[in-house]
Each structure stands twice: as C-alpha cells, then as structure tokens.
C-alpha cells in the first residue's frame, strides 16, 4: 500500500481526495477537514442501546476507508505545512544528539563477545561478534540493514545463538502486524539451514545446537503453542509440545540462565503455570513446576539444583522461594526472601554464586545482591546480602546483557533525566563497579538542567510521585509551557530515565513532567491493583489532579499545559480530555486505545480476551457499566476540546487503526470549538510507528512541532 509523504503532500492532492476544487487557492487554516460518512450500527447491551456511526471504518479492504485515511493525512499535512521548517530544525537537533557511528559495549556469551554497530545513514544496527577475545576477527551475526532492503517496514524480533555458537535463529517481520518468519542460519557459512517457518511469534529458545523451540499464535494472535524443531528437518516434522486453549492466557518459551532447562510459561494477568524440559533431553514431556491457582502468579529460573521462584502466594508484593528440581512442590518450598508491605520484588537475575533481586522501594528501583549457596539454605542460614547504591534522587537502573551464568560480574544500565544511559560492570564479590560506557550525547551539558521530584496529593489522599526536568533558568512563575506524560497501565513502570529528544522542548523553556500514576507499579503491587478493572478511573483522576497541581502551583498554566500518552496511555489521554478539556491547551494521543467497549466485546481482535482481566469484560453488566463511564469514544460530548493530535498506523495489531480514526471522526462531528484536530496515519507502520531510527525521529519532530505550535512557539 502506498505510503504518503507527509511533508510534501500538496493542497492540490487534498482537493482530489476530499473534493475541494477550490483548495489550492485557500490558505491552509481555511481548509475544511474531511468529514466521515455516518452509517449507523445499533447494538443493545444489557438493555443499553448503543449507536456507532463509524463502525464501517473497520473495513480495511474498503477503498472508501483508505480514501478517507488518505484525506485525513492530506489535511493534517496541509494544516501543519507552516511548521515544516520547525520540524526540520527539531529533527536536526534530535539527530545531533545521537552519535550515528557507534558501538555498544560487548558482552560475553559461550566464548564469544557480542556487540552492535550503528553507522551513519543506516537505519538499523549491525549485530557482530568476536571469538575468544576482543582482538579476534569480527564476524557479522546479522546486518539488519540488509534485512530491510526494499521493505517499508522491517523489524527483527527475538533471536538466539545456539549454545555451541554455530547457528543463529531469528524472527523477522515486514508487515508491522507482529507476524514473524523464523530463519536459521549457519554462522560459519552464512547459509540458511532448512526452509523458513512462517507465522511464528516471539520467542525462540535453543535446547542444543540442533533442537530449537518456537511459538505460534491463534487467530487472535495470542501466543498459544510451543513447538520443537530439529534443524534440517521440514516444518511438517515439528512437534507441538504444549498448547494453551484458555483465551485468558499467553504462552512463552525461554532457556534458563544456567542452560539446564527450557521454560514454557503460561501466564494470564492474574495467574501463572510454568513447565520445564531438560535441555539435555529436549524430547521429554514438559513438567509443571507449580499448578495454576486462582490469583497466584509466579516466574522461575534455575540455579544450583533448585528452581528460583518469585511469587505472590500470600505476598502482595511478592516473595522469593526455592524448590529443589528433584522434589518440585509447595511442600518443599524453601523461603529465601520474605514479603514486605514496603518493598515490591519485580524479578530476579540468577548467577552461579549470586542472586540479584530487582526490587522497588519508595518509588525507585534498587538492586539487592545475595551471596547464594543452595546447599547451606537447608540449614536455615541467612545468606549475606548487600545493595548497589546510586548517587541521584531519581534514576532508572536495570540489569542488562547478563548472558553468562558463572561470573561474579553483574552488568547494569543506569540513567536519570540528566544522566545519559551508562553501562556498568559491578563485581558482586568485591563490590567494585566499572563504567564501561556512557552514551555520548553531543552538545548535551547536564549543568544546564535541573531535576525535580515531588509528591502530589490527589483527590482520595494518595500521594503520586512526579519526576520533572527543567532548564536551570526556568522559574516557577506560571509562564512556562509544560508537557505532562504518563502511561499508567499493565503494572508497567515509567522510569525517570534519560530522554535526549525531549531536550528540544526543555531548551525552549518547557518543563517535562512524568506523572507516576496508579496502574503502574512504581509504588508497589497495590499501585497497580488500584489502577485497573473497577478502579481504573484512579489512573485518570491521578493524571488530572497532577495537572491541576502543576497549574495551581505555577509550574505552568492551563493555556500552556500539554498532555501526552500512547497506547494504553492514549486511553488515558482520551479519558482525561473528556473529563477536563479545559485543563489542557493541547493533547497528543499516540496509537490510543479509545474504543473500549467495541474492542473488548470482540474476542477476535488481538489482545482482547486476555485483557478482560485488565479492563473488565463488557459481557458482564456491572463491568460494562463501569467501562462505559470512561471509554473515550463513548463519552465524546458536544463541548469544546483543546488542540489535539492523534497518531496511528494502518498495520497496528495492538491498537487497530480504526479506534483512533473513529474517535477523531466522532470528535469532529461533536466538538464545538475551532481548535485544530489532526490525525496522522502511518500507512506502513505498526504499533510503534516506523521501524527505522531516522523515521522515528521524523515522527517525533512532527509531534513536538505540533506542541510548540499550540503554545505559540512555531517559529524555528
């Protein structure tokens, strides 16, 4: 399908699409927006009559739909044409903060050092390795630029090198629909081994150099089955080793850190069940570690003859237990870390002689190092432990590239809102850390910026953390524009990490504030539980109350406050713009999940059925009634709305293009103001938009140009 060039589409093209014969002579601001036709679709749910005038926009193969999408793109391009110079300047600034020719820090795995190289003018990384030491000859594992040749979209999914280092399995998607093809290559010759296997989903896991496990999905793209493949044999010989038919659960596959087991995870939002297969015997039947129980979640790894389990069994903030691999069962659980009300355990990273516990306290992540010896735990001995400390009041840290099991070295990435991502190697025995690399950000001077972290008391008395970056010359006098960002769903935590792109706003006087609202897990598991299902509106209230606090305390003003969120954060944008359209000068909703009732009624749509445990099931009257009170599409009203920019992609499989498109059509028909309302549709992209790094920056520059235009700062 043709991809529109948003920056050069002409007014003449717009007149052809929407039938405005006089358009070439009109100023851009005088152009009338496209008007979607209305075809009433009437449903009755729990006695409630619901009319959807734009349901027809779901018909992706209908030429009228594509014509309408093209018309919206043309209109947006024409109305934003006056910002093209600003867009280019923003793009140049953001690109100027990226070192285009760069190398990642090598990490060691099974006798090889692996790293990535990016090259100027190339959109994708080249994945490389060296055998034995870093002075050895360089080998190309895969060049993602070669994969992308001739493709409008190219994304490398999961990949894995076989334990012996001779074979490489990878997933590649050119559709943006998360539909991958599995390829296996011989790394010595570069030749493909066997035929590609189509219609697979992440992930893949090697048992040994000849046996690979991979996943497939059902018709709703729910990962539901794990297969065993022997390299060199046809797909018809592959064996299905597990399938989950319950639509509430997703299946995953991975290899244990110590290489002893293949793990098959079978997780829903509220319960888990894991199976194991010894890598030394890949044809063995999967063995259940702990049978599924309602509202009990867990995850596992393996070390020194025991399974390491993180579980919420009688532990809201999770605990860590061990169970011997020769005597699996709850009766044999050995406590390692007891649960507490103040510390939330996210996950563990095992090593031969240490366990790294990634946990969260007071809204910040921390790393606990435990000296591990499984044989001594049976004697009820408390293992020695310590914490890795960090210098800033607000930061983001995460273990990364820890492929080796038998090593005292933990690698982690650290950043803050004024500290670029920095890779450290930490010796868990000596407690010494070594900075391996700090990302070079040309022109960036941290002394020019200041980070603020404060708590906002919201309407029900809960204190919500806010992280914020401003310029050193910024004054709290209500005159500065401010971008408030949040996500607030799925227990996903938004870290106070470095964002080089947003500096283009901060350098122009903006404040950038992250509201750590309920629905994430910044403040523990309760924070998540209080922002989903029948408490979901806490998420929206938190965002609004933080925004009001920022205005009341002169961090900004109503005519300078901009809101942004994407995907489930786009639902947040849709909800708050209905609740308090007067609070925001502009709202940017990226790939927003806004047609809550229609989508959650249709289990054939990807992600829907599993998410009945996240948002609610509208087939249930009580849950339907609650969801309808906040569903953005269902609550559009005849009133004034702020400036709005909505983005989507035609091939988005996670939030279908029709949700934001229908929402915009309904807003156009209902709103009483004359403020701009634009939708920008990527006709080749997926949920994350474009796949190449330069195209991503172009899209970001467009968003920022819209924000600057909204507050009267559109001059380059």
């Amino acid at each position: 399908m043709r991809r529109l060039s948003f920056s050069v589409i002409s007014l003449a093209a717009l007149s052809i699409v929407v039938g405005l014969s006089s358009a070439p002579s009109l100023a851009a601001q005088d152009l009338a927006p496209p008007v979607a036709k209305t075809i009433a679709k009437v449903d009755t749910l729990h006695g409630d009559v619901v009319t959807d005038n734009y349901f027809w926009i779901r018909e992706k193969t209908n030429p009228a739909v594509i014509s309408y999408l093209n018309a919206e793109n043309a209109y947006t391009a024409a109305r934003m044409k006056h910002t093209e110079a600003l867009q280019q300047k923003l793009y140049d600034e953001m690109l100027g903060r990226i070192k285009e020719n760069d190398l990642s820090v090598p990490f060691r795995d099974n006798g090889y050092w692996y790293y990535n190289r990016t090259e100027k003018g190339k959109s994708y990384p080249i994945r490389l390795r060296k055998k034995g030491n870093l002075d050895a000859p360089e080998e190309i594992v895969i060049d993602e630029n070669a994969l992308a040749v001739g493709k409008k979209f190219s994304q490398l999914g999961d990949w894995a090198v076989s334990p012996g280092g001779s074979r490489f399995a990878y997933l590649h998607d050119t559709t943006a629909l998360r539909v991958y093809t599995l390829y296996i290559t011989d790394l010595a010759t570069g030749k493909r081994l066997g035929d590609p296997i189509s219609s697979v989903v992440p992930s893949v896991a090697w048992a040994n150099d000849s046996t690979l496990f991979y996943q497939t999905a059902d018709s709703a793209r729910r990962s539901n089955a794990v297969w065993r493949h022997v390299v060199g044999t046809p797909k018809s010989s592959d064996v299905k080793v597990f399938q989950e038919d319950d639509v509430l659960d997703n299946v995953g596959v991975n290899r244990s850190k110590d290489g002893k087991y293949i793990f098959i995870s079978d997780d829903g939002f509220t319960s888990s069940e894991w199976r194991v297969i010894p890598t030394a015997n890949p044809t063995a039947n999967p063995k259940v570690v702990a049978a599924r129980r309602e509202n009990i979640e867990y995850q596992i790894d393996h070390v020194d003859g025991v399974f390491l389990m993180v579980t919420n069994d009688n532990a809201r903030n999770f605990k860590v237990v061990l169970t011997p691999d020769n005597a699996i069962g709850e009766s044999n659980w050995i406590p390692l870390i007891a649960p507490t009300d103040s510390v939330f355990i996210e996950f563990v990273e095992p090593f031969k002689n240490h366990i790294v516990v990634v946990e969260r306290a007071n809204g910040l992540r921390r790393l606990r190092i435990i000296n591990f010896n499984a044989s001594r735990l049976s004697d009820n001995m408390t293992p020695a432990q310590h914490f890795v400390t960090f210098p800033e009041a607000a930061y983001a840290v995460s273990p990364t590239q820890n492929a080796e099991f038998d090593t005292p070295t933990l690698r982690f990435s650290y950043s803050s809102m004024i500290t670029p991502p920095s890779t450290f190697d930490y010796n868990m025995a000596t407690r010494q850390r070594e900075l391996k690399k700090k990302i070079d950000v040309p022109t960036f001077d941290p002394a020019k910026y200041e980070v603020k972290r404060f708590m906002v008391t919201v309407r029900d008395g809960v204190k919500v953390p806010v992280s914020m970056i401003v310029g050193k010359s910024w004054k709290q006098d209500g005159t500065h524009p401010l971008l408030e960002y949040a996500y607030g769903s799925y227990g996903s935590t938004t870290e106070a990490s470095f964002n080089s792109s947003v500096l283009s706003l901060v350098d122009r006087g903006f404040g950038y504030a992250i509201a750590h609202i309920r629905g994430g897990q910044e403040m523990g598991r309760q924070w998540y539980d209080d922002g989903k299902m029948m408490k979901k509106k806490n998420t929206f209230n938190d965002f609004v109350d933080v925004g009001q606090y920022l205005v009341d305390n002169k961090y900004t003003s109503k005519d300078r406050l901009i809101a942004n969120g994407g995907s489930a954060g786009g639902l947040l944008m849709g909800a708050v713009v209905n609740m308090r359209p007067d609070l925001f000068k502009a709202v940017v909703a990226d790939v927003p999940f806004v047609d809550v009732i229609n989508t959650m009624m249709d289990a054939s749509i990807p992600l829907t059925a599993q998410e009945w445990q996240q948002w609610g099931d509208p087939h249930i009257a009580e849950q339907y009634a609650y969801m309808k009170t906040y569903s953005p599409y269902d609550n559009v009203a005849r009133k004034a709305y702020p400036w709005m920019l909505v983005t989507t992609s035609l091939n988005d499989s996670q939030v279908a293009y029709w949700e934001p498109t229908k929402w915009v059509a309904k807003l156009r028909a209902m709103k009483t103001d004359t403020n701009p309302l634009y939708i920008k549709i990527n006709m080749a992209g997926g949920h994350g938009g474009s796949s190449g790094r330069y195209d991503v920056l172009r899209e970001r520059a467009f968003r920022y140009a819209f924000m600057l235009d909204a507050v009267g700062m559109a001059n380059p």
Side-chain angles (χ1 to χ4, degrees):
M1 205 167 291
R2 182 171 68 90
R3 181 177 180 181
L4 293 177
S5 174
F6 301 113
S7 60
V8 300
I9 193 159
S10 66
L11 298 184
L14 177 61
S15 70
I16 292 171
V17 174
V18 298
L20 301 174
S21 59
S22 59
S25 63
L26 293 175
Q29 65 267 22
D30 296 326
L31 287 173
V35 176
K37 64 182 179 181
T38 59
I39 303 175
K41 179 179 182 295
V42 181
D43 291 303
T44 301
L45 300 172
H46 310 294
D48 185 18
V49 178
V50 180
T51 301
D52 185 354
N53 287 326
Y54 304 104
F55 192 85
W56 66 273
I57 292 175
R58 288 175 52 135
E59 300 168 12
K60 189 175 181 180
T61 59
N62 183 344
V65 171
I66 301 303
S67 177
Y68 174 65
L69 299 182
N70 286 337
E72 286 284 9
N73 272 340
Y75 172 73
T76 296
R79 289 295 302 266
M80 285 289 289
K81 187 173 179 61
H82 68 286
T83 69
E84 286 181 354
L86 175 60
Q87 291 177 48
Q88 184 63 47
K89 185 171 178 58
L90 290 165
Y91 172 81
D92 291 341
E93 289 174 7
M94 290 186 283
L95 183 60
R97 297 189 195 99
I98 295 174
K99 190 175 180 181
E100 293 184 78
N101 293 314
D102 206 0
L103 291 173
S104 67
V105 181
F107 68 92
R108 197 170 187 274
D109 185 20
N110 287 317
Y112 287 87
W113 290 93
Y114 291 87
Y115 58 100
N116 296 340
R117 181 169 65 234
T118 54
E119 297 178 355
K120 186 174 182 177
K122 294 183 178 180
S123 292
Y124 302 92
I126 304 167
R127 300 182 184 270
L128 306 153
R129 71 177 184 176
K130 293 183 177 182
K131 186 174 183 178
N133 60 71
L134 294 174
D135 295 324
E138 185 175 84
E139 303 175 29
I140 294 178
V141 177
I142 192 166
D143 182 350
E144 292 189 42
N145 299 284
L147 287 181
V149 171
K151 309 293 191 304
K152 292 181 178 180
F153 183 92
S154 177
Q155 186 172 75
L156 185 70
D158 195 29
W159 60 271
V161 177
S162 64
S166 63
R167 291 165 173 172
F168 179 64
Y170 68 94
L171 305 182
H172 187 219
D173 176 25
T174 60
T175 68
L177 291 167
R178 296 185 301 142
V179 177
Y180 295 87
T181 299
L182 168 62
Y183 301 92
I184 302 172
T185 61
D186 185 311
L187 286 172
T189 65
K191 294 182 179 179
R192 284 187 179 161
L193 301 174
D195 295 328
I197 301 175
S198 60
S199 300
V200 301
V201 294
S203 310
V204 294
W206 289 96
N208 50 46
D209 279 14
S210 62
T211 303
L212 179 75
F213 291 84
Y214 67 90
Q215 299 172 232
T216 56
D218 63 12
S219 59
R221 299 196 187 105
R222 175 185 66 94
S223 177
N224 72 327
V226 174
W227 299 75
R228 185 178 66 243
H229 174 74
V230 177
V231 177
T233 63
K235 182 181 184 299
S236 58
S237 300
D238 293 353
V239 176
K240 184 188 294 183
V241 297
F242 177 72
Q243 178 169 317
E244 175 56 79
D245 295 324
D246 190 331
V247 297
L248 297 180
D249 300 321
N250 283 288
V251 172
V253 65
N254 68 295
R255 179 183 169 97
S256 66
K257 182 78 173 288
D258 64 2
K260 299 286 182 66
Y261 288 93
I262 295 295
F263 293 149
I264 297 175
S265 60
D266 186 11
D267 289 327
F269 280 116
T270 61
S271 65
S272 310
E273 189 171 78
W274 287 58
R275 290 165 172 79
V276 298
I277 301 172
T279 53
N281 184 18
T283 61
N285 291 325
K287 184 177 182 180
V288 174
V289 174
R292 186 184 301 278
R293 288 183 289 150
E294 187 176 2
N295 296 320
I296 302 300
E297 301 169 59
Y298 70 92
Q299 53 187 284
I300 64 171
D301 214 308
H302 185 265
V303 54
D304 199 13
V306 296
F307 289 108
L308 189 64
M309 180 184 297
V310 180
T311 179
N312 67 341
D313 184 23
N314 292 314
R316 179 184 287 276
N317 276 333
F318 288 75
K319 63 185 178 183
V320 182
V321 300
L322 307 172
T323 181
D325 53 7
N326 60 359
I328 295 175
E330 293 176 47
S331 60
N332 295 315
W333 282 7
I334 303 169
L336 182 62
I337 302 177
T340 74
D341 292 334
S342 59
V343 178
F344 169 55
I345 297 173
E346 295 185 318
F347 63 94
V348 296
E349 181 85 36
F351 295 85
K352 183 175 176 60
N353 296 309
H354 299 87
I355 293 172
V356 179
V357 183
V358 182
E359 57 190 34
R360 190 169 293 276
N362 298 317
L364 293 171
R365 180 178 275 179
R366 65 187 190 185
L367 306 179
R368 186 196 309 211
I369 312 297
I370 297 178
N371 295 354
F372 183 74
N373 186 322
S375 63
R376 298 180 65 187
L377 291 173
S378 60
D379 299 326
N380 293 318
M381 297 192 64
T382 302
Q385 56 184 294
H386 69 275
F387 292 93
V388 183
T389 59
F390 303 104
E392 296 176 270
Y395 59 84
V397 64
S398 183
T400 183
Q401 298 176 332
N402 291 288
E404 283 200 305
F405 177 67
D406 188 1
T407 176
T409 301
L410 164 70
R411 175 167 291 178
F412 62 81
S413 177
Y414 174 89
S415 77
S416 76
M417 297 182 90
I418 58 170
T419 302
S422 306
T423 300
F424 288 90
D425 280 353
Y426 180 82
N427 189 303
M428 294 179 283
T430 67
R431 306 189 185 185
Q432 299 298 307
R433 75 186 75 190
E434 178 186 1
L435 176 63
K436 304 298 292 185
K437 180 175 182 174
K438 179 185 286 187
I439 294 294
D440 184 11
V441 183
T443 74
F444 172 68
D445 178 5
K448 292 171 55 180
Y449 306 95
E450 180 183 353
V451 173
K452 299 177 180 292
R453 186 165 174 97
F454 50 90
M455 307 294 283
V456 174
T457 302
V458 297
R459 65 190 67 183
D460 61 354
V462 169
K463 295 183 182 297
V464 174
V466 177
S467 302
M468 182 175 173
I469 181 173
V470 296
K472 273 289 176 65
S473 61
W474 181 91
K475 290 182 173 58
Q476 193 171 328
D477 58 8
T479 65
H480 290 274
L482 186 144
L483 173 59
E484 181 186 358
Y485 172 84
Y487 185 72
S489 289
Y490 300 106
S492 177
T493 294
T494 304
E495 304 284 10
S497 56
F498 188 74
N499 180 345
S500 67
S501 293
V502 82
L503 297 177
S504 285
L505 295 179
V506 177
D507 288 346
R508 287 171 169 81
F510 267 71
Y512 173 60
I514 300 171
H516 303 283
I517 56 181
R518 281 174 283 185
Q521 290 185 135
E522 286 89 338
M523 302 297 285
R525 185 66 170 202
Q526 186 72 50
W527 206 247
Y528 171 38
D529 291 340
D530 286 346
K532 68 175 184 177
M533 295 296 289
M534 304 299 280
K535 297 181 179 180
K536 186 61 199 171
K537 287 195 283 190
N538 284 335
T539 300
F540 317 135
N541 292 338
D542 287 356
F543 190 88
V544 167
D545 291 353
V546 169
Q548 188 67 59
Y549 176 91
L550 295 170
V551 170
D552 292 344
N553 289 274
K554 297 189 180 302
Y555 289 88
T556 188
S557 59
K558 286 185 179 181
D559 62 351
R560 312 285 274 169
L561 177 60
I562 298 174
N564 176 228
S567 194
L571 164 65
L572 169 67
M573 295 299 100
V576 302
V577 81
N578 281 331
M579 293 166 59
R580 286 292 308 276
D582 63 299
L583 182 59
F584 307 99
K585 176 64 176 182
V587 172
V588 178
D590 294 315
V591 292
F593 167 46
V594 285
D595 192 9
V596 177
I597 301 299
N598 278 319
T599 293
M600 299 308 293
M601 285 292 296
D602 187 351
S604 70
I605 297 174
L607 303 181
T608 292
Q610 307 96 290
E611 300 204 354
W612 288 334
Q613 297 174 319
Q614 191 68 228
W615 314 103
D617 182 353
H619 299 91
I620 299 170
E622 180 189 15
Q623 295 180 16
Y624 165 78
Y626 183 79
M627 296 162 73
K628 195 180 178 188
T629 63
Y630 69 76
S631 173
Y633 184 65
D634 295 287
N635 284 280
V636 172
R638 194 165 297 282
K639 59 186 175 184
Y641 284 86
W643 285 48
M644 294 182 65
L645 170 64
V646 181
T647 70
T648 187
S649 292
L650 183 64
N651 294 327
D652 189 340
S653 65
Q654 291 168 261
V655 178
Y657 74 90
W658 60 75
E659 289 201 41
T661 306
K662 289 170 54 182
W663 184 44
V664 167
K666 189 172 183 179
L667 280 164
R668 283 246 175 80
M670 297 287 287
K671 74 191 191 85
T672 59
D673 60 89
T674 59
N675 290 328
L677 170 60
Y678 307 140
I679 183 168
K680 193 173 193 298
I681 306 139
N682 186 325
M683 301 299 281
H687 192 57
S690 296
S691 55
R693 59 175 177 164
Y694 296 110
D695 289 338
V696 168
L697 290 182
R698 292 280 184 196
E699 293 172 346
R700 197 167 296 155
F702 186 92
R703 290 174 174 87
Y704 286 2
F706 172 83
M707 296 177 189
L708 289 163
D709 194 22
V711 294
M713 300 171 67
N715 291 330

